[in-house]
Amino acid sequence: MKNIIAANWKMNKNIDEALSFVNDLESKLGELNNSEPLIFPPFISIFSLKNLCKKVKLGAQNCHYEEKGAFTGEISTLMLKGLVDFILIGHSERRHVFNESLELINKKILSVFESGFYPMLCVGEKLEEKESGKTIDVLEKQLKTAYKDVDFDKTDKLFVAYEPVWAIGTGRVPILEEIEEIHKEIRGQLNKIAGKSLSENCHILYGGSVKPSNSSEILSKENINGLLIGGASLQINDFFDIIQNSEKINK
Ligand code: PGA
């Protein structure tokens, strides 16, 4: 299974900056054996980047669950057709800054699957939840509600990013054993929700303060199938170094 090395650019980079980044990255990337680079740019750059992307896959950072209508400022899955492979759903900033509810996240997940994209669902506990020993309960609830009513006969590939809220942009990372343990737990939960063993079709990424200096040790763990990177994905050298590190890890 290849390591998915995903960049979440959030609200950073204008179109020129995005184009120049992807141009440089595509020219630096040689043959990739163990890595699948993926970028989630802001919406406005997706169309221009599409033609530049050869080895890099594209994703959207969000979407609305309706296909069209009176939803000022929103983007639908219908508009993203042919432009992206993945749509990020339930990122911590969407949940906690924009107050997206579990129900809204479920509606988005259903709509993304229905439209033929892969949702990359982000889950993660807040610091107070971790400190009060609620991490597993929180994750279980986020996973169960997000995939409610998903038809697993039609859908067998799942992409989940485990991103502890307290690790995002803080420089704090859980200890490796803890990440591995939680990924194992998430894998078990997903098999339970799907009612079958997803094995190779279940991709669980880690996100939260990933840097070139910690990427190899995180990726080397058995149940970690990729990385979702915010801050360090904005610098081409850092992002490229993380891809190079991933190339050395064959799982
Ligand atoms: P970070 O962000 O790498 O800057 O911690 C990760 C994310 O929010 O996806």
Side-chain angles (χ1 to χ4, degrees):
M1 197 194 273
K2 288 193 177 179
N3 308 307
I4 300 174
I5 308 299
N8 175 13
W9 282 354
K10 311 189 182 186
M11 198 174 68
N12 293 289
K13 295 194 189 294
N14 62 25
I15 298 176
D16 285 345
E17 290 163 343
L19 284 171
S20 133
F21 185 108
V22 171
N23 214 1
D24 288 355
L25 182 63
E26 284 284 353
S27 65
K28 273 167 170 282
L29 291 173
E31 194 192 336
L32 294 175
N33 296 309
N34 299 323
S35 323
E36 260 185 43
L38 161 64
I39 298 182
F40 292 94
F43 283 124
I44 52 155
S45 298
I46 293 176
F47 180 73
S48 320
L49 289 178
K50 179 71 188 151
N51 292 328
L52 274 186
C53 287
K54 306 274 181 296
K55 293 181 177 148
V56 175
K57 289 208 160 71
L58 285 174
Q61 293 178 17
N62 183 27
C63 69
H64 196 277
Y65 60 86
E66 291 286 359
E67 290 198 330
K68 57 184 165 185
F71 300 102
T72 303
E74 292 291 301
I75 299 283
S76 77
T77 52
L78 203 61
M79 297 166 180
L80 292 164
K81 279 257 158 82
L83 295 176
V84 297
D85 297 298
F86 292 88
I87 304 183
L88 210 56
I89 300 293
H91 186 274
S92 153
E93 286 138 27
R94 301 293 330 166
R95 290 179 194 263
H96 305 301
V97 181
F98 297 99
N99 297 318
E100 289 195 3
S101 66
L102 297 171
E103 292 70 29
L104 179 62
I105 289 166
N106 176 236
K107 281 184 175 174
K108 292 185 177 195
I109 289 278
L110 292 171
S111 148
V112 171
F113 275 131
E114 190 63 31
S115 318
F117 299 101
Y118 293 120
M120 186 175 285
L121 173 71
C122 300
V123 294
E125 80 286 1
K126 295 196 234 167
L127 188 58
E128 62 267 27
E129 293 166 335
K130 175 185 167 59
E131 284 172 346
S132 53
K134 294 202 187 108
T135 300
I136 298 300
D137 291 348
V138 168
L139 297 176
E140 187 179 351
K141 188 159 186 201
Q142 290 177 344
L143 292 167
K144 263 195 186 152
T145 51
Y147 293 122
K148 185 171 170 274
D149 297 333
V150 167
D151 181 352
F152 284 98
D153 289 334
K154 288 200 225 147
T155 312
D156 54 1
K157 264 195 192 176
L158 291 187
F159 296 85
V160 170
Y162 169 56
E163 299 202 303
V165 178
W166 52 273
I168 296 176
T170 58
R172 293 183 62 191
V173 177
I175 55 168
L176 279 184
E177 289 64 31
E178 205 174 314
I179 306 181
E180 170 64 4
E181 209 37 57
I182 291 178
H183 277 235
K184 226 162 111 185
E185 173 70 30
I186 292 176
R187 193 172 296 282
Q189 293 280 346
L190 292 174
N191 288 338
K192 226 158 104 190
I193 293 168
K196 60 185 173 189
S197 170
L198 294 159
S199 56
E200 290 277 298
N201 288 319
C202 182
H203 302 256
I204 310 173
L205 287 69
Y206 169 79
S209 296
V210 173
K211 302 183 283 285
S213 58
N214 61 16
S215 61
S216 299
E217 55 182 24
I218 300 175
L219 273 181
S220 65
K221 291 284 175 192
E222 187 190 339
N223 280 289
I224 300 175
N225 312 118
L227 302 167
L228 181 57
I229 310 147
S233 74
L234 296 172
Q235 304 298 328
I236 180 134
N237 289 339
D238 286 348
F239 190 57
F240 182 65
D241 284 351
I242 296 173
I243 296 172
Q244 297 279 83
N245 291 342
S246 150
E247 275 301 285
K248 295 183 201 129
I249 298 168
N250 183 354
K251 286 199 282 196

